Amino acid sequence: SDRQVIREQLPLADLVIGAVLIAGARAPQLVTADDLGRMKPGAVIIDVAIDQGGCVETARPTTHSEPTYIEGGIVHYCVTNMPGAVGRTSTYALCNVTFPYIQRIITEGLESATAADSGLAEAVNVHEGKVTNPAVADSLGMACEAFVSPAG
């Protein structure tokens, strides 16, 4: 999707789910306050990117106990930590996905594991006290030093 396609589709939508992720960085705002006027009154926006600042200009963090508000005639659902509603299930899923990487680092060591898996090397955000992910460094206002696997 791009901004033009989003604007064209807003008048047709009963529900818009914003789920933009740029790892370690703030989400880009793809729906502006002015865009709300293009939507049907009573339409719903769910901003899943709210934990990264939201991809809807009018999004503001809400909670599970007070999950919605109306702005510009549009219902906004912007609950932070949405997986927290199903804590046991989301924790189980996260552990299942991350454990193989953790196990690999533990059994092979960081040097061998990242040398053998470029994706794992790219996932290193901090190494020896230095931020190695450009988006994380930028969002924290810190210097970034590229991670180079000790094996090369």
Side-chain angles (χ1 to χ4, degrees):
S1 294
D2 61 35
R3 177 99 173 97
Q4 182 176 337
V5 171
I6 292 169
R7 284 180 52 84
E8 288 172 0
Q9 295 302 309
L10 288 175
L12 307 173
D14 294 314
L15 171 66
V16 173
I17 300 174
V20 180
L21 175 64
I22 299 174
R26 189 183 196 295
Q29 292 189 342
L30 300 177
V31 178
T32 68
D34 288 342
D35 290 338
L36 298 186
R38 301 175 67 84
M39 298 179 71
K40 300 173 188 174
V44 176
I45 292 176
I46 299 175
D47 194 339
V48 178
I50 195 65
D51 292 313
Q52 286 74 40
C55 61
V56 176
E57 184 179 17
T58 53
R60 63 178 185 267
T62 60
T63 63
H64 291 291
S65 59
E66 294 185 43
T68 63
Y69 61 93
I70 297 174
E71 186 162 331
I74 307 303
V75 178
H76 290 60
Y77 178 94
C78 307
V79 173
T80 57
N81 188 24
M82 287 183 197
V86 288
R88 185 170 191 265
T89 302
S90 61
T91 300
Y92 186 74
L94 180 62
C95 289
N96 280 333
V97 169
T98 58
F99 183 72
Y101 296 104
I102 294 166
Q103 187 175 31
R104 188 170 190 182
I105 291 168
I106 290 169
T107 58
E108 298 176 21
L110 182 64
E111 181 176 323
S112 294
T114 55
D117 184 343
S118 62
L120 180 58
E122 290 179 26
V124 176
N125 284 259
V126 177
H127 183 249
E128 295 182 351
K130 297 178 178 98
V131 179
T132 59
N133 180 297
V136 172
D138 185 56
S139 70
L140 297 174
M142 299 177 74
C144 180
E145 293 192 27
F147 173 72
V148 178
S149 176

